[in-house]
């Protein structure tokens, strides 16, 4: 199947009970057994649930993986990946990453003896220079949040394979519509399914997808043992969201391109960060490993003025000032005080997350209305 068909049919089958076309919401915690261990594949919903299983099969399909795992949040999914490690192990991570990931790494797992190196990943030689006998994992986010930096997944895969490391890629911004990291050599793909996968700002969820059965077995064990699973209602909503992922992403990309170009030509805007521009760092890599450039944009006003940036996000009418991204509605955020507030100011400013930076999640509304809203807000 091609991608647009996979979103609707990939990994899916009609419900065996009554032939329901959409998987029912199995709102149950436990399942009847005829004898101890005599069940129909499901015994307790932390371990397995038919609705969640349908979602996990769909996730595996759209990422060209074999095994999908759904979690209660994106951070719960990341938490499970780091639990593959032991005290003394080291992780090489991009220095421009989601604030919640940074907080989990530094405030939780560093206390358990895992060491993290946060570096720019613009080339593989720099990454390779940080590898030592304790290195076990390379953590990649591409495009990064919020600077839209592009990391070469194939190059990172070469480093990871040469040194026998795991490569995990946060594919939240691109989605499998634009980028499929497993095909490029990654071992684990992570999604905050809260975002584009769900697509309607009505659920919180995380996902992992892998090809290797041994890695899958370890992650399924952690998923069950730690218990951070999503419920059947959210699983149902995410499945419904996936079925329109391809058409939503097409519009996100179209609108994103139009708004990025509008902002770049605006006399009051100093810099626009969007991977589709030829002068964007690693644009050629984005062009090679992605099928489009997405609907996420960051920008800074002329003079990098904090007060002006705050005034813009306060004045927006169609764009909603809110955390998160990837919904059908357009959102605006101020990373320094919202999504990346957990990163120390001097650390985030090194990567470009200055106090005047604004991040847009461009929705699927009429693009003329979105541009008009930005026009009146920028003034």
């Amino acid at each position: 199947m091609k991608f647009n068909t996979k979103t609707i049919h990939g990994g899916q089958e009609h419900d065996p009970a009554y032939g329901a076309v959409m998987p029912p919401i199995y709102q149950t915690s436990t399942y009847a057994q005829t004898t101890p261990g005599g069940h129909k594949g499901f015994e307790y919903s932390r371990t397995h649930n038919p609705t969640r299983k349908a979602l996990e099969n769909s996730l595996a399909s759209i990422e060209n993986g074999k095994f999908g795992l759904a979690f209660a949040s994106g951070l719960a999914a990341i938490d499970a990946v780091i639990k593959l490690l032991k005290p003394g192990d080291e992780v090489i991570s991009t220095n421009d990453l989601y604030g919640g990931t940074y907080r989990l790494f530094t405030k939780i797992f560093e206390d358990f003896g895992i060491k993290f190196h946060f570096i720019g990943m613009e080339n593989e030689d720099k990454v390779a220079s940080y590898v030592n006998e304790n290195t076990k994992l390379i953590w990649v986010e591409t495009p990064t949040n919020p600077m839209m930096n592009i990391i070469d997944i194939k190059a990172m895969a070469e480093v990871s394979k040469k040194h026998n490391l795991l490569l995990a890629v946060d594919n939240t911004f691109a989605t499998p519509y634009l980028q499929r990291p497993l095909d490029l050599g990654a071992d684990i793909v992570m999604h905050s399914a809260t975002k584009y996968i769900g697509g309607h700002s009505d659920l919180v969820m995380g996902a992992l997808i892998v090809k290797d059965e041994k890695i899958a077995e370890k992650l399924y064990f952690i998923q069950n043992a730690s218990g951070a699973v999503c419920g059947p209602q959210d699983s149902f909503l995410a499945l419904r969201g996936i079925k329109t992922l391809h058409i939503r992403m097409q519009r996100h990309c179209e609108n994103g391109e139009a708004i990025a170009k509008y902002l770049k030509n605006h006399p009051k805007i100093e810099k626009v960060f969007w991977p589709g521009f030829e002068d964007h760092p690693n644009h050629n890599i984005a062009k090679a490993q992605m099928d489009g450039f997405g609907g996420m944009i960051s920008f800074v006003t002329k003079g990098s003025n904090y007060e002006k940036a705050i005034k813009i996000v306060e004045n927006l009418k169609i764009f909603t000032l809110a955390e998160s991204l990837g919904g059908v509605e357009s959102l605006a955020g101020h990373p320094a005080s919202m999504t990346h507030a957990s990163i120390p100011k001097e650390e985030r400013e090194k990567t470009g997350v200055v106090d005047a930076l604004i991040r847009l999640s461009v929705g699927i509304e009429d693009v003329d209305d979105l541009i008009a809203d930005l026009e009146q807000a920028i003034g």
Side-chain angles (χ1 to χ4, degrees), residues 331-362:
L331 301 177
H334 182 250
S337 62
M338 296 169 74
T339 54
H340 290 65
S342 57
I343 299 178
K345 182 181 171 81
E346 64 177 61
E347 288 300 314
R348 62 174 167 77
E349 288 195 340
K350 284 179 191 173
T351 62
V353 187
V354 295
D355 287 346
L357 186 78
I358 295 170
R359 189 191 74 182
L360 301 179
S361 173
V362 179

PDB file of all heavy atoms in Angstrom, residues 331-362:
ATOM      1  N   LEU A 331      -1.894  27.547  15.909  1.00  0.00           N
ATOM      2  CA  LEU A 331      -1.476  27.938  17.249  1.00  0.00           C
ATOM      3  C   LEU A 331      -0.215  28.775  17.168  1.00  0.00           C
ATOM      4  O   LEU A 331       0.616  28.596  16.273  1.00  0.00           O
ATOM      5  CB  LEU A 331      -1.200  26.705  18.114  1.00  0.00           C
ATOM      6  CG  LEU A 331      -2.347  25.712  18.334  1.00  0.00           C
ATOM      7  CD1 LEU A 331      -1.867  24.523  19.159  1.00  0.00           C
ATOM      8  CD2 LEU A 331      -3.532  26.382  19.013  1.00  0.00           C
ATOM      9  N   ALA A 332      -0.066  29.676  18.121  1.00  0.00           N
ATOM     10  CA  ALA A 332       1.163  30.452  18.260  1.00  0.00           C
ATOM     11  C   ALA A 332       1.703  30.233  19.659  1.00  0.00           C
ATOM     12  O   ALA A 332       0.932  30.087  20.616  1.00  0.00           O
ATOM     13  CB  ALA A 332       0.894  31.937  18.019  1.00  0.00           C
ATOM     14  N   GLY A 333       3.018  30.207  19.761  1.00  0.00           N
ATOM     15  CA  GLY A 333       3.627  29.998  21.067  1.00  0.00           C
ATOM     16  C   GLY A 333       4.842  30.870  21.256  1.00  0.00           C
ATOM     17  O   GLY A 333       5.450  31.339  20.288  1.00  0.00           O
ATOM     18  N   HIS A 334       5.194  31.090  22.515  1.00  0.00           N
ATOM     19  CA  HIS A 334       6.403  31.834  22.871  1.00  0.00           C
ATOM     20  C   HIS A 334       7.310  30.850  23.600  1.00  0.00           C
ATOM     21  O   HIS A 334       7.189  30.642  24.806  1.00  0.00           O
ATOM     22  CB  HIS A 334       6.047  33.026  23.770  1.00  0.00           C
ATOM     23  CG  HIS A 334       7.226  33.865  24.152  1.00  0.00           C
ATOM     24  ND1 HIS A 334       7.717  33.901  25.439  1.00  0.00           N
ATOM     25  CD2 HIS A 334       8.032  34.663  23.404  1.00  0.00           C
ATOM     26  CE1 HIS A 334       8.762  34.705  25.479  1.00  0.00           C
ATOM     27  NE2 HIS A 334       8.969  35.188  24.265  1.00  0.00           N
ATOM     28  N   PRO A 335       8.197  30.165  22.861  1.00  0.00           N
ATOM     29  CA  PRO A 335       8.975  29.059  23.441  1.00  0.00           C
ATOM     30  C   PRO A 335       9.706  29.389  24.738  1.00  0.00           C
ATOM     31  O   PRO A 335       9.726  28.572  25.668  1.00  0.00           O
ATOM     32  CB  PRO A 335       9.966  28.708  22.318  1.00  0.00           C
ATOM     33  CG  PRO A 335       9.245  29.080  21.073  1.00  0.00           C
ATOM     34  CD  PRO A 335       8.474  30.322  21.422  1.00  0.00           C
ATOM     35  N   ALA A 336      10.304  30.573  24.829  1.00  0.00           N
ATOM     36  CA  ALA A 336      11.113  30.912  26.009  1.00  0.00           C
ATOM     37  C   ALA A 336      10.313  30.856  27.297  1.00  0.00           C
ATOM     38  O   ALA A 336      10.846  30.496  28.355  1.00  0.00           O
ATOM     39  CB  ALA A 336      11.738  32.295  25.829  1.00  0.00           C
ATOM     40  N   SER A 337       9.020  31.194  27.234  1.00  0.00           N
ATOM     41  CA  SER A 337       8.210  31.190  28.449  1.00  0.00           C
ATOM     42  C   SER A 337       7.194  30.054  28.495  1.00  0.00           C
ATOM     43  O   SER A 337       6.522  29.858  29.503  1.00  0.00           O
ATOM     44  CB  SER A 337       7.457  32.517  28.585  1.00  0.00           C
ATOM     45  OG  SER A 337       6.568  32.700  27.493  1.00  0.00           O
ATOM     46  N   MET A 338       7.118  29.268  27.409  1.00  0.00           N
ATOM     47  CA  MET A 338       6.109  28.205  27.350  1.00  0.00           C
ATOM     48  C   MET A 338       6.777  26.834  27.191  1.00  0.00           C
ATOM     49  O   MET A 338       7.167  26.213  28.175  1.00  0.00           O
ATOM     50  CB  MET A 338       5.103  28.501  26.226  1.00  0.00           C
ATOM     51  CG  MET A 338       4.304  29.784  26.468  1.00  0.00           C
ATOM     52  SD  MET A 338       3.322  30.356  25.055  1.00  0.00           S
ATOM     53  CE  MET A 338       1.970  29.195  25.049  1.00  0.00           C
ATOM     54  N   THR A 339       6.946  26.364  25.969  1.00  0.00           N
ATOM     55  CA  THR A 339       7.411  24.990  25.740  1.00  0.00           C
ATOM     56  C   THR A 339       8.852  24.743  26.167  1.00  0.00           C
ATOM     57  O   THR A 339       9.242  23.604  26.419  1.00  0.00           O
ATOM     58  CB  THR A 339       7.291  24.631  24.243  1.00  0.00           C
ATOM     59  OG1 THR A 339       7.983  25.636  23.479  1.00  0.00           O
ATOM     60  CG2 THR A 339       5.839  24.583  23.818  1.00  0.00           C
ATOM     61  N   HIS A 340       9.680  25.800  26.218  1.00  0.00           N
ATOM     62  CA  HIS A 340      11.103  25.621  26.530  1.00  0.00           C
ATOM     63  C   HIS A 340      11.520  26.347  27.804  1.00  0.00           C
ATOM     64  O   HIS A 340      12.704  26.578  28.036  1.00  0.00           O
ATOM     65  CB  HIS A 340      11.961  26.077  25.343  1.00  0.00           C
ATOM     66  CG  HIS A 340      11.848  25.166  24.165  1.00  0.00           C
ATOM     67  ND1 HIS A 340      10.676  24.990  23.469  1.00  0.00           N
ATOM     68  CD2 HIS A 340      12.743  24.339  23.570  1.00  0.00           C
ATOM     69  CE1 HIS A 340      10.867  24.123  22.496  1.00  0.00           C
ATOM     70  NE2 HIS A 340      12.106  23.709  22.537  1.00  0.00           N
ATOM     71  N   ALA A 341      10.535  26.655  28.649  1.00  0.00           N
ATOM     72  CA  ALA A 341      10.828  27.361  29.895  1.00  0.00           C
ATOM     73  C   ALA A 341      11.686  26.525  30.842  1.00  0.00           C
ATOM     74  O   ALA A 341      12.378  27.064  31.708  1.00  0.00           O
ATOM     75  CB  ALA A 341       9.526  27.776  30.584  1.00  0.00           C
ATOM     76  N   SER A 342      11.656  25.193  30.673  1.00  0.00           N
ATOM     77  CA  SER A 342      12.420  24.317  31.569  1.00  0.00           C
ATOM     78  C   SER A 342      13.911  24.271  31.206  1.00  0.00           C
ATOM     79  O   SER A 342      14.715  23.708  31.938  1.00  0.00           O
ATOM     80  CB  SER A 342      11.842  22.902  31.541  1.00  0.00           C
ATOM     81  OG  SER A 342      11.831  22.387  30.232  1.00  0.00           O
ATOM     82  N   ILE A 343      14.281  24.872  30.072  1.00  0.00           N
ATOM     83  CA  ILE A 343      15.692  24.931  29.680  1.00  0.00           C
ATOM     84  C   ILE A 343      16.273  26.255  30.180  1.00  0.00           C
ATOM     85  O   ILE A 343      15.700  27.324  29.924  1.00  0.00           O
ATOM     86  CB  ILE A 343      15.854  24.819  28.145  1.00  0.00           C
ATOM     87  CG1 ILE A 343      15.291  23.482  27.646  1.00  0.00           C
ATOM     88  CG2 ILE A 343      17.315  24.959  27.742  1.00  0.00           C
ATOM     89  CD1 ILE A 343      15.358  23.301  26.148  1.00  0.00           C
ATOM     90  N   PRO A 344      17.399  26.225  30.899  1.00  0.00           N
ATOM     91  CA  PRO A 344      18.001  27.471  31.389  1.00  0.00           C
ATOM     92  C   PRO A 344      18.221  28.473  30.266  1.00  0.00           C
ATOM     93  O   PRO A 344      18.587  28.097  29.145  1.00  0.00           O
ATOM     94  CB  PRO A 344      19.343  27.001  31.986  1.00  0.00           C
ATOM     95  CG  PRO A 344      19.131  25.564  32.329  1.00  0.00           C
ATOM     96  CD  PRO A 344      18.169  25.038  31.301  1.00  0.00           C
ATOM     97  N   LYS A 345      17.989  29.759  30.576  1.00  0.00           N
ATOM     98  CA  LYS A 345      18.056  30.828  29.565  1.00  0.00           C
ATOM     99  C   LYS A 345      19.355  30.793  28.759  1.00  0.00           C
ATOM    100  O   LYS A 345      19.330  30.856  27.525  1.00  0.00           O
ATOM    101  CB  LYS A 345      17.893  32.184  30.257  1.00  0.00           C
ATOM    102  CG  LYS A 345      17.900  33.393  29.316  1.00  0.00           C
ATOM    103  CD  LYS A 345      17.754  34.685  30.119  1.00  0.00           C
ATOM    104  CE  LYS A 345      17.972  35.923  29.272  1.00  0.00           C
ATOM    105  NZ  LYS A 345      16.795  36.302  28.485  1.00  0.00           N
ATOM    106  N   GLU A 346      20.499  30.664  29.432  1.00  0.00           N
ATOM    107  CA  GLU A 346      21.765  30.706  28.692  1.00  0.00           C
ATOM    108  C   GLU A 346      21.941  29.488  27.787  1.00  0.00           C
ATOM    109  O   GLU A 346      22.566  29.568  26.735  1.00  0.00           O
ATOM    110  CB  GLU A 346      22.962  30.854  29.637  1.00  0.00           C
ATOM    111  CG  GLU A 346      23.191  29.685  30.594  1.00  0.00           C
ATOM    112  CD  GLU A 346      24.446  29.907  31.436  1.00  0.00           C
ATOM    113  OE1 GLU A 346      24.479  30.905  32.189  1.00  0.00           O
ATOM    114  OE2 GLU A 346      25.372  29.096  31.332  1.00  0.00           O
ATOM    115  N   GLU A 347      21.338  28.357  28.185  1.00  0.00           N
ATOM    116  CA  GLU A 347      21.424  27.152  27.352  1.00  0.00           C
ATOM    117  C   GLU A 347      20.545  27.287  26.122  1.00  0.00           C
ATOM    118  O   GLU A 347      20.959  26.972  25.007  1.00  0.00           O
ATOM    119  CB  GLU A 347      21.023  25.908  28.165  1.00  0.00           C
ATOM    120  CG  GLU A 347      22.042  25.477  29.200  1.00  0.00           C
ATOM    121  CD  GLU A 347      23.398  25.140  28.584  1.00  0.00           C
ATOM    122  OE1 GLU A 347      23.426  24.428  27.560  1.00  0.00           O
ATOM    123  OE2 GLU A 347      24.418  25.618  29.102  1.00  0.00           O
ATOM    124  N   ARG A 348      19.292  27.760  26.322  1.00  0.00           N
ATOM    125  CA  ARG A 348      18.393  27.859  25.175  1.00  0.00           C
ATOM    126  C   ARG A 348      18.826  28.948  24.211  1.00  0.00           C
ATOM    127  O   ARG A 348      18.654  28.816  22.997  1.00  0.00           O
ATOM    128  CB  ARG A 348      16.941  28.027  25.622  1.00  0.00           C
ATOM    129  CG  ARG A 348      16.629  29.260  26.424  1.00  0.00           C
ATOM    130  CD  ARG A 348      15.123  29.391  26.696  1.00  0.00           C
ATOM    131  NE  ARG A 348      14.826  30.385  27.710  1.00  0.00           N
ATOM    132  CZ  ARG A 348      14.844  31.694  27.488  1.00  0.00           C
ATOM    133  NH1 ARG A 348      15.154  32.169  26.296  1.00  0.00           N
ATOM    134  NH2 ARG A 348      14.563  32.544  28.465  1.00  0.00           N
ATOM    135  N   GLU A 349      19.410  30.036  24.727  1.00  0.00           N
ATOM    136  CA  GLU A 349      19.825  31.118  23.837  1.00  0.00           C
ATOM    137  C   GLU A 349      21.007  30.719  22.963  1.00  0.00           C
ATOM    138  O   GLU A 349      21.183  31.243  21.866  1.00  0.00           O
ATOM    139  CB  GLU A 349      20.140  32.386  24.642  1.00  0.00           C
ATOM    140  CG  GLU A 349      18.875  33.040  25.196  1.00  0.00           C
ATOM    141  CD  GLU A 349      19.091  34.464  25.670  1.00  0.00           C
ATOM    142  OE1 GLU A 349      20.255  34.837  25.932  1.00  0.00           O
ATOM    143  OE2 GLU A 349      18.089  35.199  25.773  1.00  0.00           O
ATOM    144  N   LYS A 350      21.804  29.742  23.423  1.00  0.00           N
ATOM    145  CA  LYS A 350      22.915  29.230  22.607  1.00  0.00           C
ATOM    146  C   LYS A 350      22.398  28.615  21.310  1.00  0.00           C
ATOM    147  O   LYS A 350      23.069  28.631  20.284  1.00  0.00           O
ATOM    148  CB  LYS A 350      23.699  28.158  23.376  1.00  0.00           C
ATOM    149  CG  LYS A 350      24.629  28.696  24.444  1.00  0.00           C
ATOM    150  CD  LYS A 350      25.312  27.524  25.149  1.00  0.00           C
ATOM    151  CE  LYS A 350      26.046  27.976  26.397  1.00  0.00           C
ATOM    152  NZ  LYS A 350      26.561  26.826  27.170  1.00  0.00           N
ATOM    153  N   THR A 351      21.209  28.032  21.365  1.00  0.00           N
ATOM    154  CA  THR A 351      20.650  27.379  20.179  1.00  0.00           C
ATOM    155  C   THR A 351      19.720  28.300  19.389  1.00  0.00           C
ATOM    156  O   THR A 351      19.145  27.888  18.377  1.00  0.00           O
ATOM    157  CB  THR A 351      19.869  26.103  20.570  1.00  0.00           C
ATOM    158  OG1 THR A 351      18.769  26.460  21.422  1.00  0.00           O
ATOM    159  CG2 THR A 351      20.766  25.122  21.303  1.00  0.00           C
ATOM    160  N   GLY A 352      19.521  29.537  19.861  1.00  0.00           N
ATOM    161  CA  GLY A 352      18.692  30.491  19.131  1.00  0.00           C
ATOM    162  C   GLY A 352      17.324  30.736  19.728  1.00  0.00           C
ATOM    163  O   GLY A 352      16.539  31.526  19.203  1.00  0.00           O
ATOM    164  N   VAL A 353      17.016  30.054  20.840  1.00  0.00           N
ATOM    165  CA  VAL A 353      15.697  30.238  21.465  1.00  0.00           C
ATOM    166  C   VAL A 353      15.753  31.486  22.343  1.00  0.00           C
ATOM    167  O   VAL A 353      15.828  31.432  23.570  1.00  0.00           O
ATOM    168  CB  VAL A 353      15.271  28.995  22.274  1.00  0.00           C
ATOM    169  CG1 VAL A 353      13.827  29.152  22.767  1.00  0.00           C
ATOM    170  CG2 VAL A 353      15.380  27.743  21.419  1.00  0.00           C
ATOM    171  N   VAL A 354      15.731  32.638  21.667  1.00  0.00           N
ATOM    172  CA  VAL A 354      15.811  33.929  22.349  1.00  0.00           C
ATOM    173  C   VAL A 354      14.419  34.335  22.840  1.00  0.00           C
ATOM    174  O   VAL A 354      13.402  33.747  22.446  1.00  0.00           O
ATOM    175  CB  VAL A 354      16.392  35.003  21.402  1.00  0.00           C
ATOM    176  CG1 VAL A 354      17.836  34.668  21.040  1.00  0.00           C
ATOM    177  CG2 VAL A 354      15.543  35.140  20.135  1.00  0.00           C
ATOM    178  N   ASP A 355      14.397  35.375  23.678  1.00  0.00           N
ATOM    179  CA  ASP A 355      13.123  35.805  24.273  1.00  0.00           C
ATOM    180  C   ASP A 355      12.155  36.385  23.253  1.00  0.00           C
ATOM    181  O   ASP A 355      10.962  36.504  23.533  1.00  0.00           O
ATOM    182  CB  ASP A 355      13.382  36.834  25.381  1.00  0.00           C
ATOM    183  CG  ASP A 355      13.972  36.206  26.638  1.00  0.00           C
ATOM    184  OD1 ASP A 355      13.929  34.963  26.744  1.00  0.00           O
ATOM    185  OD2 ASP A 355      14.469  36.952  27.500  1.00  0.00           O
ATOM    186  N   ALA A 356      12.648  36.757  22.072  1.00  0.00           N
ATOM    187  CA  ALA A 356      11.772  37.346  21.049  1.00  0.00           C
ATOM    188  C   ALA A 356      11.285  36.330  20.027  1.00  0.00           C
ATOM    189  O   ALA A 356      10.575  36.683  19.085  1.00  0.00           O
ATOM    190  CB  ALA A 356      12.504  38.485  20.340  1.00  0.00           C
ATOM    191  N   LEU A 357      11.647  35.060  20.197  1.00  0.00           N
ATOM    192  CA  LEU A 357      11.268  34.033  19.216  1.00  0.00           C
ATOM    193  C   LEU A 357       9.788  33.653  19.363  1.00  0.00           C
ATOM    194  O   LEU A 357       9.304  33.417  20.471  1.00  0.00           O
ATOM    195  CB  LEU A 357      12.136  32.787  19.400  1.00  0.00           C
ATOM    196  CG  LEU A 357      11.946  31.687  18.345  1.00  0.00           C
ATOM    197  CD1 LEU A 357      12.681  32.053  17.067  1.00  0.00           C
ATOM    198  CD2 LEU A 357      12.454  30.343  18.873  1.00  0.00           C
ATOM    199  N   ILE A 358       9.096  33.573  18.242  1.00  0.00           N
ATOM    200  CA  ILE A 358       7.703  33.121  18.190  1.00  0.00           C
ATOM    201  C   ILE A 358       7.651  31.861  17.344  1.00  0.00           C
ATOM    202  O   ILE A 358       8.290  31.779  16.297  1.00  0.00           O
ATOM    203  CB  ILE A 358       6.794  34.204  17.564  1.00  0.00           C
ATOM    204  CG1 ILE A 358       6.745  35.445  18.463  1.00  0.00           C
ATOM    205  CG2 ILE A 358       5.371  33.667  17.326  1.00  0.00           C
ATOM    206  CD1 ILE A 358       6.074  36.651  17.807  1.00  0.00           C
ATOM    207  N   ARG A 359       6.896  30.858  17.813  1.00  0.00           N
ATOM    208  CA  ARG A 359       6.738  29.623  17.043  1.00  0.00           C
ATOM    209  C   ARG A 359       5.288  29.488  16.593  1.00  0.00           C
ATOM    210  O   ARG A 359       4.365  29.682  17.388  1.00  0.00           O
ATOM    211  CB  ARG A 359       7.116  28.406  17.906  1.00  0.00           C
ATOM    212  CG  ARG A 359       7.196  27.105  17.122  1.00  0.00           C
ATOM    213  CD  ARG A 359       7.294  25.894  18.052  1.00  0.00           C
ATOM    214  NE  ARG A 359       6.006  25.616  18.698  1.00  0.00           N
ATOM    215  CZ  ARG A 359       5.809  24.638  19.587  1.00  0.00           C
ATOM    216  NH1 ARG A 359       6.804  23.866  19.943  1.00  0.00           N
ATOM    217  NH2 ARG A 359       4.613  24.442  20.109  1.00  0.00           N
ATOM    218  N   LEU A 360       5.107  29.173  15.324  1.00  0.00           N
ATOM    219  CA  LEU A 360       3.765  28.976  14.777  1.00  0.00           C
ATOM    220  C   LEU A 360       3.549  27.526  14.400  1.00  0.00           C
ATOM    221  O   LEU A 360       4.414  26.892  13.784  1.00  0.00           O
ATOM    222  CB  LEU A 360       3.555  29.838  13.524  1.00  0.00           C
ATOM    223  CG  LEU A 360       3.702  31.353  13.648  1.00  0.00           C
ATOM    224  CD1 LEU A 360       3.473  32.000  12.284  1.00  0.00           C
ATOM    225  CD2 LEU A 360       2.746  31.928  14.687  1.00  0.00           C
ATOM    226  N   SER A 361       2.395  26.993  14.762  1.00  0.00           N
ATOM    227  CA  SER A 361       1.916  25.734  14.215  1.00  0.00           C
ATOM    228  C   SER A 361       0.792  26.108  13.264  1.00  0.00           C
ATOM    229  O   SER A 361      -0.315  26.471  13.694  1.00  0.00           O
ATOM    230  CB  SER A 361       1.393  24.817  15.334  1.00  0.00           C
ATOM    231  OG  SER A 361       0.778  23.671  14.790  1.00  0.00           O
ATOM    232  N   VAL A 362       1.094  26.067  11.977  1.00  0.00           N
ATOM    233  CA  VAL A 362       0.139  26.550  10.971  1.00  0.00           C
ATOM    234  C   VAL A 362      -0.913  25.474  10.729  1.00  0.00           C
ATOM    235  O   VAL A 362      -0.600  24.333  10.374  1.00  0.00           O
ATOM    236  CB  VAL A 362       0.864  26.898   9.655  1.00  0.00           C
ATOM    237  CG1 VAL A 362      -0.140  27.378   8.618  1.00  0.00           C
ATOM    238  CG2 VAL A 362       1.930  27.957   9.913  1.00  0.00           C
TER     239      VAL A 362
END
